[in-house]
């Protein structure tokens, strides 16, 4: 039973570029959440997708956008990258109901030069 | 607004010692959920436990135990007879139980636990 998978594992970009991160949820899960984790800090909620719609959003600028596909997989897009966007981006999946445990992937380490 | 505080940034113990990780939370909701996650060096957050605000029973799972005290807004985590494999960053998290909240998790800053042989 595959868990949450994220790609790529690592990514290096320069300021101003755009990036797309991908996530496949755990089998049977239909809800995907994205978190940003800066070094030495706890994860910060970016947004959550359910039934292909953004259900809720955290305090992140519009440069951060996402999408959920009919197979429940998801993408996180970040435009006009800033140095401060360097972080570990974590995807979590859960089963539709509210407050079900979220299962996390290994994350994508994004470095901005 | 929700907030989770883990005052212990780093804890270092010797193997077989018991260790307690503290978690204090703030929320205006009467119904909420609390979680603990473990993050080993690989980066993946591993789910350990979920507890709802109406269930104040302590829970034990093997060497792990959790003490939820609503009166002090605390949800502490104890590892008994610690092992080197317990070395990781541990996060406490909170979510509100409302449909508009969408189960977003608010995390603390984490506690780095190092268990030395």
């Amino acid at each position: 039973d595959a868990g949450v998978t994220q790609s790529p594992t690592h990514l290096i970009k320069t300021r101003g570029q755009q990036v797309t991160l991908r996530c496949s949820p755990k089998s049977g899960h239909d809800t995907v959440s994205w978190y940003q984790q800066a070094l030495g800090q706890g994860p910060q909620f970016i947004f959550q997708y359910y039934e292909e719609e953004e259900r809720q959003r955290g305090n992140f600028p519009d440069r951060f956008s996402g999408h959920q596909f009919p197979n429940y997989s998801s993408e996180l897009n970040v435009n006009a990258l800033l140095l401060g966007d360097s972080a570990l981006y974590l995807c979590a999946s859960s089963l539709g109901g509210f407050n079900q445990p979220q299962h996390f992937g290994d994350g994508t380490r994004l470095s901005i030069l | 607004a929700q907030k989770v505080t883990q005052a212990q940034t780093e804890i270092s113990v010797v193997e077989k010692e018991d260790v307690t990780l503290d978690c204090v939370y703030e929320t205006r909701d009467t119904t909420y959920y609390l979680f603990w996650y473990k993050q080993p060096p690989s980066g993946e957050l591993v789910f350990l436990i979920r507890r709802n605000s109406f269930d104040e029973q302590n829970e034990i799972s093997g060497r792990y135990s959790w003490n939820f005290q609503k009166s002090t807004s605390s949800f502490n985590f104890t590892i008994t007879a610690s092992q080197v494999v317990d070395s990781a960053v541990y996060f406490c998290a909170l979510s509100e139980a409302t449909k508009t909240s969408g189960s977003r998790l608010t995390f603390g800053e984490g506690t780095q636990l190092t268990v030395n042989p």
Side-chain angles (χ1 to χ4, degrees), chain A residues 35 37 41-43 45 48 56-58 90 98-99 101-102 104-106, chain B residues 33 37 39 44 50 91 95-97 99-105 107-108:
Chain A
Y35 293 81
Q37 186 179 18
Q41 298 185 17
F45 176 78
Q48 183 178 84
Q56 191 169 29
R57 187 180 185 89
L90 294 163
F98 296 89
N99 295 294
Q102 295 183 25
F104 286 79
D106 288 342
Chain B
Y33 288 79
Y37 283 86
Q39 188 174 43
E44 177 186 0
R50 177 187 68 164
F91 289 97
S95 72
E96 297 168 335
K99 287 192 173 183
T100 55
S101 74
S103 306
R104 62 185 294 172
L105 290 171
F107 284 88

PDB file of all heavy atoms in Angstrom, chain A residues 35 37 41-43 45 48 56-58 90 98-99 101-102 104-106, chain B residues 33 37 39 44 50 91 95-97 99-105 107-108:
ATOM      1  N   TYR A  35       2.175  21.957   3.013  1.00  0.00           N
ATOM      2  CA  TYR A  35       2.800  22.708   4.092  1.00  0.00           C
ATOM      3  C   TYR A  35       4.206  23.128   3.670  1.00  0.00           C
ATOM      4  O   TYR A  35       4.887  22.405   2.921  1.00  0.00           O
ATOM      5  CB  TYR A  35       2.912  21.847   5.364  1.00  0.00           C
ATOM      6  CG  TYR A  35       1.587  21.491   5.994  1.00  0.00           C
ATOM      7  CD1 TYR A  35       0.819  20.439   5.496  1.00  0.00           C
ATOM      8  CD2 TYR A  35       1.085  22.209   7.077  1.00  0.00           C
ATOM      9  CE1 TYR A  35      -0.404  20.110   6.071  1.00  0.00           C
ATOM     10  CE2 TYR A  35      -0.130  21.884   7.661  1.00  0.00           C
ATOM     11  CZ  TYR A  35      -0.871  20.833   7.150  1.00  0.00           C
ATOM     12  OH  TYR A  35      -2.081  20.513   7.713  1.00  0.00           O
ATOM     13  N   GLN A  37       7.895  24.047   5.316  1.00  0.00           N
ATOM     14  CA  GLN A  37       8.671  23.939   6.554  1.00  0.00           C
ATOM     15  C   GLN A  37      10.053  24.545   6.347  1.00  0.00           C
ATOM     16  O   GLN A  37      10.909  23.964   5.686  1.00  0.00           O
ATOM     17  CB  GLN A  37       8.797  22.482   6.997  1.00  0.00           C
ATOM     18  CG  GLN A  37       9.465  22.336   8.359  1.00  0.00           C
ATOM     19  CD  GLN A  37       9.569  20.896   8.835  1.00  0.00           C
ATOM     20  OE1 GLN A  37       9.462  19.952   8.055  1.00  0.00           O
ATOM     21  NE2 GLN A  37       9.765  20.706  10.131  1.00  0.00           N
ATOM     22  N   GLN A  41      12.015  25.011  11.861  1.00  0.00           N
ATOM     23  CA  GLN A  41      10.684  25.467  12.261  1.00  0.00           C
ATOM     24  C   GLN A  41       9.633  24.386  12.022  1.00  0.00           C
ATOM     25  O   GLN A  41       9.890  23.377  11.375  1.00  0.00           O
ATOM     26  CB  GLN A  41      10.305  26.728  11.484  1.00  0.00           C
ATOM     27  CG  GLN A  41      11.236  27.902  11.753  1.00  0.00           C
ATOM     28  CD  GLN A  41      10.750  29.156  11.049  1.00  0.00           C
ATOM     29  OE1 GLN A  41       9.606  29.255  10.631  1.00  0.00           O
ATOM     30  NE2 GLN A  41      11.647  30.126  10.931  1.00  0.00           N
ATOM     31  N   GLY A  42       8.462  24.611  12.568  1.00  0.00           N
ATOM     32  CA  GLY A  42       7.359  23.706  12.319  1.00  0.00           C
ATOM     33  C   GLY A  42       6.717  23.979  10.967  1.00  0.00           C
ATOM     34  O   GLY A  42       6.847  25.074  10.424  1.00  0.00           O
ATOM     35  N   PRO A  43       6.049  22.999  10.403  1.00  0.00           N
ATOM     36  CA  PRO A  43       5.377  23.205   9.108  1.00  0.00           C
ATOM     37  C   PRO A  43       4.295  24.275   9.204  1.00  0.00           C
ATOM     38  O   PRO A  43       3.602  24.383  10.222  1.00  0.00           O
ATOM     39  CB  PRO A  43       4.762  21.834   8.813  1.00  0.00           C
ATOM     40  CG  PRO A  43       5.562  20.865   9.628  1.00  0.00           C
ATOM     41  CD  PRO A  43       5.939  21.621  10.859  1.00  0.00           C
ATOM     42  N   PHE A  45       0.881  25.761   7.216  1.00  0.00           N
ATOM     43  CA  PHE A  45      -0.173  25.355   6.277  1.00  0.00           C
ATOM     44  C   PHE A  45      -0.251  26.318   5.100  1.00  0.00           C
ATOM     45  O   PHE A  45      -0.367  27.535   5.284  1.00  0.00           O
ATOM     46  CB  PHE A  45      -1.504  25.310   7.024  1.00  0.00           C
ATOM     47  CG  PHE A  45      -2.698  24.999   6.175  1.00  0.00           C
ATOM     48  CD1 PHE A  45      -2.964  23.710   5.772  1.00  0.00           C
ATOM     49  CD2 PHE A  45      -3.580  26.011   5.800  1.00  0.00           C
ATOM     50  CE1 PHE A  45      -4.078  23.419   5.007  1.00  0.00           C
ATOM     51  CE2 PHE A  45      -4.690  25.726   5.047  1.00  0.00           C
ATOM     52  CZ  PHE A  45      -4.948  24.443   4.639  1.00  0.00           C
ATOM     53  N   GLN A  48      -5.325  23.475   1.247  1.00  0.00           N
ATOM     54  CA  GLN A  48      -5.847  22.109   1.219  1.00  0.00           C
ATOM     55  C   GLN A  48      -6.827  21.961   0.054  1.00  0.00           C
ATOM     56  O   GLN A  48      -7.630  22.862  -0.205  1.00  0.00           O
ATOM     57  CB  GLN A  48      -6.564  21.777   2.517  1.00  0.00           C
ATOM     58  CG  GLN A  48      -7.087  20.343   2.606  1.00  0.00           C
ATOM     59  CD  GLN A  48      -7.760  20.055   3.935  1.00  0.00           C
ATOM     60  OE1 GLN A  48      -8.939  20.344   4.112  1.00  0.00           O
ATOM     61  NE2 GLN A  48      -7.008  19.488   4.874  1.00  0.00           N
ATOM     62  N   GLN A  56      -9.364  25.371   1.906  1.00  0.00           N
ATOM     63  CA  GLN A  56      -8.916  26.438   2.780  1.00  0.00           C
ATOM     64  C   GLN A  56      -7.483  26.811   2.433  1.00  0.00           C
ATOM     65  O   GLN A  56      -6.729  25.995   1.902  1.00  0.00           O
ATOM     66  CB  GLN A  56      -9.000  26.077   4.260  1.00  0.00           C
ATOM     67  CG  GLN A  56      -8.792  27.308   5.142  1.00  0.00           C
ATOM     68  CD  GLN A  56      -9.105  27.085   6.589  1.00  0.00           C
ATOM     69  OE1 GLN A  56      -8.971  25.982   7.078  1.00  0.00           O
ATOM     70  NE2 GLN A  56      -9.485  28.141   7.275  1.00  0.00           N
ATOM     71  N   ARG A  57      -7.123  28.059   2.800  1.00  0.00           N
ATOM     72  CA  ARG A  57      -5.822  28.585   2.469  1.00  0.00           C
ATOM     73  C   ARG A  57      -5.198  29.232   3.698  1.00  0.00           C
ATOM     74  O   ARG A  57      -5.893  29.877   4.487  1.00  0.00           O
ATOM     75  CB  ARG A  57      -5.963  29.615   1.349  1.00  0.00           C
ATOM     76  CG  ARG A  57      -4.663  30.123   0.800  1.00  0.00           C
ATOM     77  CD  ARG A  57      -4.908  31.147  -0.310  1.00  0.00           C
ATOM     78  NE  ARG A  57      -3.637  31.535  -0.906  1.00  0.00           N
ATOM     79  CZ  ARG A  57      -3.075  30.924  -1.926  1.00  0.00           C
ATOM     80  NH1 ARG A  57      -3.686  29.915  -2.500  1.00  0.00           N
ATOM     81  NH2 ARG A  57      -1.920  31.337  -2.406  1.00  0.00           N
ATOM     82  N   GLY A  58      -3.907  29.064   3.866  1.00  0.00           N
ATOM     83  CA  GLY A  58      -3.187  29.729   4.943  1.00  0.00           C
ATOM     84  C   GLY A  58      -2.700  31.097   4.497  1.00  0.00           C
ATOM     85  O   GLY A  58      -3.094  31.611   3.444  1.00  0.00           O
ATOM     86  N   LEU A  90       6.028  19.966   2.181  1.00  0.00           N
ATOM     87  CA  LEU A  90       5.427  18.700   2.566  1.00  0.00           C
ATOM     88  C   LEU A  90       4.008  18.598   2.053  1.00  0.00           C
ATOM     89  O   LEU A  90       3.228  19.548   2.162  1.00  0.00           O
ATOM     90  CB  LEU A  90       5.426  18.558   4.094  1.00  0.00           C
ATOM     91  CG  LEU A  90       6.794  18.435   4.748  1.00  0.00           C
ATOM     92  CD1 LEU A  90       6.703  18.729   6.238  1.00  0.00           C
ATOM     93  CD2 LEU A  90       7.372  17.052   4.524  1.00  0.00           C
ATOM     94  N   PHE A  98     -13.348  15.524   8.271  1.00  0.00           N
ATOM     95  CA  PHE A  98     -12.548  16.552   8.903  1.00  0.00           C
ATOM     96  C   PHE A  98     -11.778  15.984  10.078  1.00  0.00           C
ATOM     97  O   PHE A  98     -12.262  15.150  10.814  1.00  0.00           O
ATOM     98  CB  PHE A  98     -13.450  17.698   9.335  1.00  0.00           C
ATOM     99  CG  PHE A  98     -14.089  18.364   8.163  1.00  0.00           C
ATOM    100  CD1 PHE A  98     -15.295  17.914   7.671  1.00  0.00           C
ATOM    101  CD2 PHE A  98     -13.456  19.389   7.511  1.00  0.00           C
ATOM    102  CE1 PHE A  98     -15.878  18.505   6.560  1.00  0.00           C
ATOM    103  CE2 PHE A  98     -14.029  19.991   6.397  1.00  0.00           C
ATOM    104  CZ  PHE A  98     -15.238  19.542   5.920  1.00  0.00           C
ATOM    105  N   ASN A  99     -10.556  16.481  10.199  1.00  0.00           N
ATOM    106  CA  ASN A  99      -9.691  16.111  11.311  1.00  0.00           C
ATOM    107  C   ASN A  99      -9.277  14.653  11.335  1.00  0.00           C
ATOM    108  O   ASN A  99      -8.918  14.122  12.374  1.00  0.00           O
ATOM    109  CB  ASN A  99     -10.340  16.502  12.642  1.00  0.00           C
ATOM    110  CG  ASN A  99     -10.482  17.995  12.757  1.00  0.00           C
ATOM    111  OD1 ASN A  99      -9.499  18.717  12.833  1.00  0.00           O
ATOM    112  ND2 ASN A  99     -11.708  18.479  12.735  1.00  0.00           N
ATOM    113  N   PRO A 101      -6.466  11.898  10.584  1.00  0.00           N
ATOM    114  CA  PRO A 101      -5.008  12.033  10.588  1.00  0.00           C
ATOM    115  C   PRO A 101      -4.464  12.271   9.192  1.00  0.00           C
ATOM    116  O   PRO A 101      -4.880  11.617   8.229  1.00  0.00           O
ATOM    117  CB  PRO A 101      -4.552  10.681  11.137  1.00  0.00           C
ATOM    118  CG  PRO A 101      -5.699  10.180  11.938  1.00  0.00           C
ATOM    119  CD  PRO A 101      -6.936  10.670  11.220  1.00  0.00           C
ATOM    120  N   GLN A 102      -3.561  13.202   9.080  1.00  0.00           N
ATOM    121  CA  GLN A 102      -2.929  13.484   7.809  1.00  0.00           C
ATOM    122  C   GLN A 102      -1.630  12.692   7.730  1.00  0.00           C
ATOM    123  O   GLN A 102      -0.831  12.691   8.663  1.00  0.00           O
ATOM    124  CB  GLN A 102      -2.664  14.987   7.671  1.00  0.00           C
ATOM    125  CG  GLN A 102      -3.964  15.788   7.611  1.00  0.00           C
ATOM    126  CD  GLN A 102      -3.744  17.266   7.393  1.00  0.00           C
ATOM    127  OE1 GLN A 102      -2.737  17.685   6.840  1.00  0.00           O
ATOM    128  NE2 GLN A 102      -4.692  18.070   7.836  1.00  0.00           N
ATOM    129  N   PHE A 104       1.933  12.168   5.790  1.00  0.00           N
ATOM    130  CA  PHE A 104       2.857  13.022   5.059  1.00  0.00           C
ATOM    131  C   PHE A 104       3.810  12.241   4.170  1.00  0.00           C
ATOM    132  O   PHE A 104       4.185  11.104   4.480  1.00  0.00           O
ATOM    133  CB  PHE A 104       3.678  13.848   6.052  1.00  0.00           C
ATOM    134  CG  PHE A 104       2.915  14.966   6.694  1.00  0.00           C
ATOM    135  CD1 PHE A 104       2.046  14.727   7.745  1.00  0.00           C
ATOM    136  CD2 PHE A 104       3.063  16.274   6.245  1.00  0.00           C
ATOM    137  CE1 PHE A 104       1.326  15.759   8.341  1.00  0.00           C
ATOM    138  CE2 PHE A 104       2.352  17.320   6.839  1.00  0.00           C
ATOM    139  CZ  PHE A 104       1.489  17.056   7.874  1.00  0.00           C
ATOM    140  N   GLY A 105       4.209  12.907   3.093  1.00  0.00           N
ATOM    141  CA  GLY A 105       5.269  12.395   2.249  1.00  0.00           C
ATOM    142  C   GLY A 105       6.626  12.835   2.774  1.00  0.00           C
ATOM    143  O   GLY A 105       6.718  13.510   3.802  1.00  0.00           O
ATOM    144  N   ASP A 106       7.682  12.457   2.052  1.00  0.00           N
ATOM    145  CA  ASP A 106       9.043  12.797   2.471  1.00  0.00           C
ATOM    146  C   ASP A 106       9.401  14.245   2.174  1.00  0.00           C
ATOM    147  O   ASP A 106      10.414  14.743   2.650  1.00  0.00           O
ATOM    148  CB  ASP A 106      10.064  11.887   1.776  1.00  0.00           C
ATOM    149  CG  ASP A 106      10.016  10.473   2.337  1.00  0.00           C
ATOM    150  OD1 ASP A 106       9.468  10.295   3.444  1.00  0.00           O
ATOM    151  OD2 ASP A 106      10.520   9.564   1.659  1.00  0.00           O
TER     152      ASP A 106
ATOM    153  N   TYR B  33      -8.917  19.092  17.830  1.00  0.00           N
ATOM    154  CA  TYR B  33      -8.139  17.854  17.838  1.00  0.00           C
ATOM    155  C   TYR B  33      -6.670  18.177  18.062  1.00  0.00           C
ATOM    156  O   TYR B  33      -6.161  19.196  17.584  1.00  0.00           O
ATOM    157  CB  TYR B  33      -8.300  17.103  16.502  1.00  0.00           C
ATOM    158  CG  TYR B  33      -9.658  16.476  16.327  1.00  0.00           C
ATOM    159  CD1 TYR B  33     -10.755  17.233  15.935  1.00  0.00           C
ATOM    160  CD2 TYR B  33      -9.839  15.120  16.566  1.00  0.00           C
ATOM    161  CE1 TYR B  33     -11.995  16.658  15.780  1.00  0.00           C
ATOM    162  CE2 TYR B  33     -11.084  14.525  16.403  1.00  0.00           C
ATOM    163  CZ  TYR B  33     -12.153  15.304  16.018  1.00  0.00           C
ATOM    164  OH  TYR B  33     -13.393  14.722  15.861  1.00  0.00           O
ATOM    165  N   TYR B  37       3.342  14.294  15.975  1.00  0.00           N
ATOM    166  CA  TYR B  37       4.042  13.725  14.830  1.00  0.00           C
ATOM    167  C   TYR B  37       5.517  13.621  15.162  1.00  0.00           C
ATOM    168  O   TYR B  37       6.059  14.422  15.914  1.00  0.00           O
ATOM    169  CB  TYR B  37       3.885  14.613  13.587  1.00  0.00           C
ATOM    170  CG  TYR B  37       2.553  14.507  12.893  1.00  0.00           C
ATOM    171  CD1 TYR B  37       1.472  15.289  13.299  1.00  0.00           C
ATOM    172  CD2 TYR B  37       2.373  13.637  11.819  1.00  0.00           C
ATOM    173  CE1 TYR B  37       0.242  15.193  12.653  1.00  0.00           C
ATOM    174  CE2 TYR B  37       1.153  13.537  11.171  1.00  0.00           C
ATOM    175  CZ  TYR B  37       0.091  14.325  11.588  1.00  0.00           C
ATOM    176  OH  TYR B  37      -1.116  14.229  10.945  1.00  0.00           O
ATOM    177  N   GLN B  39       9.347  13.471  13.309  1.00  0.00           N
ATOM    178  CA  GLN B  39      10.050  13.740  12.061  1.00  0.00           C
ATOM    179  C   GLN B  39      11.501  13.281  12.183  1.00  0.00           C
ATOM    180  O   GLN B  39      12.337  13.986  12.742  1.00  0.00           O
ATOM    181  CB  GLN B  39       9.990  15.225  11.697  1.00  0.00           C
ATOM    182  CG  GLN B  39      10.548  15.522  10.307  1.00  0.00           C
ATOM    183  CD  GLN B  39      10.349  16.976   9.904  1.00  0.00           C
ATOM    184  OE1 GLN B  39      10.552  17.888  10.699  1.00  0.00           O
ATOM    185  NE2 GLN B  39       9.945  17.199   8.647  1.00  0.00           N
ATOM    186  N   GLU B  44      10.170  12.871   6.572  1.00  0.00           N
ATOM    187  CA  GLU B  44       8.754  12.513   6.585  1.00  0.00           C
ATOM    188  C   GLU B  44       8.165  12.679   7.984  1.00  0.00           C
ATOM    189  O   GLU B  44       8.745  12.258   8.963  1.00  0.00           O
ATOM    190  CB  GLU B  44       8.595  11.066   6.131  1.00  0.00           C
ATOM    191  CG  GLU B  44       7.169  10.548   6.168  1.00  0.00           C
ATOM    192  CD  GLU B  44       7.096   9.067   5.838  1.00  0.00           C
ATOM    193  OE1 GLU B  44       8.147   8.466   5.586  1.00  0.00           O
ATOM    194  OE2 GLU B  44       5.983   8.526   5.842  1.00  0.00           O
ATOM    195  N   ARG B  50      -3.829  10.977  17.609  1.00  0.00           N
ATOM    196  CA  ARG B  50      -4.834  12.030  17.510  1.00  0.00           C
ATOM    197  C   ARG B  50      -5.751  11.918  18.731  1.00  0.00           C
ATOM    198  O   ARG B  50      -6.149  10.820  19.117  1.00  0.00           O
ATOM    199  CB  ARG B  50      -5.677  11.869  16.242  1.00  0.00           C
ATOM    200  CG  ARG B  50      -6.785  12.907  16.125  1.00  0.00           C
ATOM    201  CD  ARG B  50      -7.703  12.624  14.963  1.00  0.00           C
ATOM    202  NE  ARG B  50      -8.495  11.410  15.173  1.00  0.00           N
ATOM    203  CZ  ARG B  50      -9.571  11.118  14.460  1.00  0.00           C
ATOM    204  NH1 ARG B  50      -9.975  11.930  13.520  1.00  0.00           N
ATOM    205  NH2 ARG B  50     -10.220   9.999  14.682  1.00  0.00           N
ATOM    206  N   PHE B  91       6.711  16.967  16.839  1.00  0.00           N
ATOM    207  CA  PHE B  91       5.822  18.118  16.696  1.00  0.00           C
ATOM    208  C   PHE B  91       4.466  17.819  17.313  1.00  0.00           C
ATOM    209  O   PHE B  91       3.880  16.754  17.096  1.00  0.00           O
ATOM    210  CB  PHE B  91       5.609  18.464  15.218  1.00  0.00           C
ATOM    211  CG  PHE B  91       6.808  19.045  14.549  1.00  0.00           C
ATOM    212  CD1 PHE B  91       7.658  18.244  13.802  1.00  0.00           C
ATOM    213  CD2 PHE B  91       7.093  20.400  14.657  1.00  0.00           C
ATOM    214  CE1 PHE B  91       8.764  18.780  13.174  1.00  0.00           C
ATOM    215  CE2 PHE B  91       8.208  20.941  14.032  1.00  0.00           C
ATOM    216  CZ  PHE B  91       9.049  20.126  13.296  1.00  0.00           C
ATOM    217  N   SER B  95      -5.852  21.119  15.435  1.00  0.00           N
ATOM    218  CA  SER B  95      -6.766  21.523  14.367  1.00  0.00           C
ATOM    219  C   SER B  95      -8.150  21.748  14.954  1.00  0.00           C
ATOM    220  O   SER B  95      -8.535  21.103  15.920  1.00  0.00           O
ATOM    221  CB  SER B  95      -6.828  20.496  13.238  1.00  0.00           C
ATOM    222  OG  SER B  95      -7.507  19.342  13.647  1.00  0.00           O
ATOM    223  N   GLU B  96      -8.860  22.683  14.359  1.00  0.00           N
ATOM    224  CA  GLU B  96     -10.219  22.974  14.795  1.00  0.00           C
ATOM    225  C   GLU B  96     -11.169  22.000  14.130  1.00  0.00           C
ATOM    226  O   GLU B  96     -10.919  21.539  13.032  1.00  0.00           O
ATOM    227  CB  GLU B  96     -10.599  24.404  14.423  1.00  0.00           C
ATOM    228  CG  GLU B  96      -9.742  25.450  15.106  1.00  0.00           C
ATOM    229  CD  GLU B  96      -9.942  26.827  14.505  1.00  0.00           C
ATOM    230  OE1 GLU B  96     -10.342  26.910  13.332  1.00  0.00           O
ATOM    231  OE2 GLU B  96      -9.704  27.806  15.211  1.00  0.00           O
ATOM    232  N   ALA B  97     -12.261  21.705  14.787  1.00  0.00           N
ATOM    233  CA  ALA B  97     -13.200  20.709  14.268  1.00  0.00           C
ATOM    234  C   ALA B  97     -14.374  21.375  13.573  1.00  0.00           C
ATOM    235  O   ALA B  97     -15.520  21.067  13.825  1.00  0.00           O
ATOM    236  CB  ALA B  97     -13.693  19.821  15.403  1.00  0.00           C
ATOM    237  N   LYS B  99     -16.038  22.705   9.722  1.00  0.00           N
ATOM    238  CA  LYS B  99     -15.933  22.435   8.284  1.00  0.00           C
ATOM    239  C   LYS B  99     -15.164  23.543   7.575  1.00  0.00           C
ATOM    240  O   LYS B  99     -14.449  23.301   6.623  1.00  0.00           O
ATOM    241  CB  LYS B  99     -17.320  22.275   7.672  1.00  0.00           C
ATOM    242  CG  LYS B  99     -17.981  20.965   8.065  1.00  0.00           C
ATOM    243  CD  LYS B  99     -19.206  20.679   7.236  1.00  0.00           C
ATOM    244  CE  LYS B  99     -19.734  19.277   7.560  1.00  0.00           C
ATOM    245  NZ  LYS B  99     -20.882  18.927   6.721  1.00  0.00           N
ATOM    246  N   THR B 100     -15.279  24.771   8.068  1.00  0.00           N
ATOM    247  CA  THR B 100     -14.581  25.853   7.391  1.00  0.00           C
ATOM    248  C   THR B 100     -13.078  25.785   7.615  1.00  0.00           C
ATOM    249  O   THR B 100     -12.311  26.346   6.861  1.00  0.00           O
ATOM    250  CB  THR B 100     -15.097  27.215   7.891  1.00  0.00           C
ATOM    251  OG1 THR B 100     -14.976  27.261   9.318  1.00  0.00           O
ATOM    252  CG2 THR B 100     -16.548  27.421   7.506  1.00  0.00           C
ATOM    253  N   SER B 101     -12.684  25.103   8.682  1.00  0.00           N
ATOM    254  CA  SER B 101     -11.248  25.033   8.948  1.00  0.00           C
ATOM    255  C   SER B 101     -10.556  24.047   8.023  1.00  0.00           C
ATOM    256  O   SER B 101      -9.360  24.135   7.813  1.00  0.00           O
ATOM    257  CB  SER B 101     -10.997  24.643  10.394  1.00  0.00           C
ATOM    258  OG  SER B 101     -11.278  23.263  10.585  1.00  0.00           O
ATOM    259  N   GLY B 102     -11.307  23.104   7.494  1.00  0.00           N
ATOM    260  CA  GLY B 102     -10.734  22.160   6.549  1.00  0.00           C
ATOM    261  C   GLY B 102      -9.611  21.326   7.109  1.00  0.00           C
ATOM    262  O   GLY B 102      -8.771  20.852   6.376  1.00  0.00           O
ATOM    263  N   SER B 103      -9.596  21.131   8.424  1.00  0.00           N
ATOM    264  CA  SER B 103      -8.603  20.258   9.042  1.00  0.00           C
ATOM    265  C   SER B 103      -7.188  20.770   8.941  1.00  0.00           C
ATOM    266  O   SER B 103      -6.241  20.003   9.015  1.00  0.00           O
ATOM    267  CB  SER B 103      -8.639  18.855   8.417  1.00  0.00           C
ATOM    268  OG  SER B 103      -9.930  18.323   8.472  1.00  0.00           O
ATOM    269  N   ARG B 104      -6.995  22.058   8.751  1.00  0.00           N
ATOM    270  CA  ARG B 104      -5.638  22.581   8.715  1.00  0.00           C
ATOM    271  C   ARG B 104      -4.982  22.345  10.055  1.00  0.00           C
ATOM    272  O   ARG B 104      -5.578  22.531  11.107  1.00  0.00           O
ATOM    273  CB  ARG B 104      -5.657  24.065   8.380  1.00  0.00           C
ATOM    274  CG  ARG B 104      -6.395  24.916   9.407  1.00  0.00           C
ATOM    275  CD  ARG B 104      -6.478  26.350   8.973  1.00  0.00           C
ATOM    276  NE  ARG B 104      -5.183  27.000   8.929  1.00  0.00           N
ATOM    277  CZ  ARG B 104      -4.998  28.218   8.431  1.00  0.00           C
ATOM    278  NH1 ARG B 104      -6.025  28.902   7.947  1.00  0.00           N
ATOM    279  NH2 ARG B 104      -3.804  28.759   8.415  1.00  0.00           N
ATOM    280  N   LEU B 105      -3.728  21.945  10.011  1.00  0.00           N
ATOM    281  CA  LEU B 105      -2.957  21.696  11.219  1.00  0.00           C
ATOM    282  C   LEU B 105      -2.102  22.919  11.550  1.00  0.00           C
ATOM    283  O   LEU B 105      -1.445  23.474  10.671  1.00  0.00           O
ATOM    284  CB  LEU B 105      -2.043  20.485  11.032  1.00  0.00           C
ATOM    285  CG  LEU B 105      -2.720  19.115  10.949  1.00  0.00           C
ATOM    286  CD1 LEU B 105      -1.708  18.056  10.545  1.00  0.00           C
ATOM    287  CD2 LEU B 105      -3.355  18.751  12.272  1.00  0.00           C
ATOM    288  N   PHE B 107       1.062  23.725  13.758  1.00  0.00           N
ATOM    289  CA  PHE B 107       2.146  23.005  14.424  1.00  0.00           C
ATOM    290  C   PHE B 107       2.884  23.905  15.412  1.00  0.00           C
ATOM    291  O   PHE B 107       2.959  25.120  15.233  1.00  0.00           O
ATOM    292  CB  PHE B 107       3.166  22.519  13.383  1.00  0.00           C
ATOM    293  CG  PHE B 107       2.726  21.338  12.591  1.00  0.00           C
ATOM    294  CD1 PHE B 107       1.992  21.499  11.425  1.00  0.00           C
ATOM    295  CD2 PHE B 107       3.063  20.052  12.987  1.00  0.00           C
ATOM    296  CE1 PHE B 107       1.589  20.408  10.678  1.00  0.00           C
ATOM    297  CE2 PHE B 107       2.670  18.946  12.247  1.00  0.00           C
ATOM    298  CZ  PHE B 107       1.935  19.132  11.090  1.00  0.00           C
ATOM    299  N   GLY B 108       3.467  23.257  16.423  1.00  0.00           N
ATOM    300  CA  GLY B 108       4.439  23.939  17.264  1.00  0.00           C
ATOM    301  C   GLY B 108       5.780  23.980  16.540  1.00  0.00           C
ATOM    302  O   GLY B 108       5.907  23.508  15.411  1.00  0.00           O
TER     303      GLY B 108
END
